[in-house]
Amino acid sequence: IVDEAVLGNKEDHFKVIRDVGPDVIFLGYDHPAVELEGFKILRGKPYNVDVHKSSELRRKILGATGHTNFKAK
């Protein structure tokens, strides 16, 4: 069970880890390998990659053009 999920920081990928000091770090199956001393790191397994992979979802949403000039409201 997850007590809290936190998004990362685009400029400093380890800032959230330093600030929060989590018991466990959970990475997606396709995230690059990371080793951090003192932290338990778990890695997810792929699940319906053809349906749920972010690049595939972007392609479906944005279409074949791959146009990415949009801002979330």
Side-chain angles (χ1 to χ4, degrees), residues 1 3-4 17 20-26 36 38-42:
I1 296 177
D3 295 322
E4 182 179 5
I17 296 169
V20 175
D23 296 323
V24 175
I25 299 170
F26 186 86
L36 296 170
F39 293 98
K40 182 175 183 177
I41 298 177
L42 300 178

Side-chain angles (χ1 to χ4, degrees), residues 5-72:
V6 181
L7 293 176
N9 181 298
K10 288 184 180 182
E11 288 78 37
D12 181 355
H13 299 288
F14 298 103
K15 182 179 185 330
V16 172
I17 296 169
R18 288 190 306 269
D19 291 349
V20 175
D23 296 323
V24 175
I25 299 170
F26 186 86
L27 302 174
Y29 76 94
D30 58 350
H31 191 280
V34 174
E35 289 188 29
L36 296 170
E37 192 171 320
F39 293 98
K40 182 175 183 177
I41 298 177
L42 300 178
R43 181 171 299 280
K45 295 181 180 178
Y47 176 76
N48 286 341
V49 176
D50 294 335
V51 176
H52 300 294
K53 189 167 178 78
S54 61
S55 59
E56 182 63 19
L57 292 173
R58 274 192 300 277
R59 187 190 66 73
K60 287 179 181 178
I61 292 168
L62 301 173
T65 65
H67 182 69
T68 58
N69 281 339
F70 67 91
K71 292 183 181 179

